[in-house]
Amino acid sequence: MSEAILQVKGLTKKFGGVAAVNDCSLEVRKGSITGLIGPNGAGKTTLFNLITGFLVPDAGKVFFKGKDITSLTPHQVFKSRLFRSFQIARDYPEMTVLENLMVICEEQLGEGLFNAWFRSGQVQNQQKQFARKAVDILKFIELEQKKDLPAKYLSGGEKKLLEIARMMMVDLDMVLLDEPGAGVPPALQDKIMSHIQNLSRERGLTLFIVEHDMDIIMNICDTIIVMVEGRNFTQGTPQQVRSNPAVIEAYLGRGGEEKKHE
Ligand SMILES: Nc1ncnc2c1ncn2[C@@H]1O[C@H](COP(=O)(O)OP(=O)(O)OP(=O)(O)O)[C@@H](O)[C@H]1O
Ligand SMILES: [Mg+2]
């Protein structure tokens, strides 16, 4: 068993009087593909927001690679090589697909576009390198023919592929994905999932994935954490979770496989 790369300890977040995340503790092992499942409103997205600095917890701590990251901003979290999909390149709809990929490198380096513009030839060289890398990745992900298209013209599924491409541009240790399969046609979904598995196998990237599609979760995850009412209800291998009567009662029993997507 590998060590934990992410540790969540007693995390709590209340909205009004209601605890969306309620004294939640969990660990994600380095190099694993860990799934996070649970009924609508269980607190999965809120947990991801707490881990990545988009929300500040009322109580509890988050440790990444042994370091306390609880009070870091989203950008600081990103710089520590923990990425949440849609975290940084939230929306550059007017920029081309290629530019969308180049921007994320600059974000990781901490250099704004304008800043870079005033810099010397060194930056230009770096820009060229980023562009070459971006084109290679777009070829790999089969989006190269759309590289000069403004990102806003991509389909929902292609935008998710672009998101995967972004993850390949930068050096990351862990990625949090919130419903990568939602709203994507099945053929493209398979492609996205195989790229995700590839990132884990070839780069040793740790993946933490919220997904309502049980086929996806059962196929690609080695560990599954079940979240119910803001807490870590149980966890195990896909087999263990699937055959756990308490999970079936708490989650699947309430129509778990028919959950709505956001
Ligand atoms: N910004 C917010 N303000 C108030 N309540 C919120 C906010 N964000 C989430 N909640 C509430 O917190 C609870 C957990 O929501 P969250 O979105 O984390 O659940 P989820 O597990 O991601 O659900 P789903 O599977 O539907 O995406 C819900 O009751 C939700 O209504
Ligand atoms: Mg959610």
Side-chain angles (χ1 to χ4, degrees), residues 40-41 43-46 178-179 210 212 262:
N40 290 126
K44 304 177 297 294
T45 298
T46 305
D178 200 347
E179 304 198 33
V210 169
H212 282 299
E262 280 173 351

Side-chain angles (χ1 to χ4, degrees), residues 80-92:
S80 77
R81 299 167 53 128
L82 170 57
F83 176 88
R84 185 196 158 160
S85 67
F86 308 113
Q87 177 174 346
I88 293 298
R90 263 154 298 197
D91 235 340
Y92 299 114

Side-chain angles (χ1 to χ4, degrees), residues 55-89:
L55 286 173
V56 178
D58 297 317
K61 296 240 173 253
V62 181
F63 295 89
F64 181 57
K65 295 184 282 188
K67 209 181 100 200
D68 186 349
I69 60 161
T70 320
S71 53
L72 299 189
T73 63
H75 195 256
Q76 288 169 327
V77 171
F78 172 59
K79 290 193 101 177
S80 77
R81 299 167 53 128
L82 170 57
F83 176 88
R84 185 196 158 160
S85 67
F86 308 113
Q87 177 174 346
I88 293 298

Side-chain angles (χ1 to χ4, degrees), residues 49 62 77 81-82 94 100 126 151 191 201 214 221 231:
N49 284 332
V62 181
V77 171
R81 299 167 53 128
L82 170 57
E94 306 297 333
N100 264 273
Q126 203 167 48
K191 202 160 139 183
R201 270 197 295 262
M214 284 304 127
C221 296
R231 278 204 183 92

Side-chain angles (χ1 to χ4, degrees), residues 4-45:
I5 189 168
L6 179 79
Q7 295 163 297
V8 168
K9 295 188 180 170
L11 219 51
T12 296
K13 179 71 188 177
K14 289 184 181 146
F15 294 114
V18 183
V21 172
N22 193 2
D23 194 18
C24 182
S25 296
L26 56 84
E27 289 191 354
V28 175
R29 278 180 302 109
K30 193 166 177 240
S32 69
I33 303 185
T34 300
L36 181 65
I37 65 170
N40 290 126
K44 304 177 297 294
T45 298

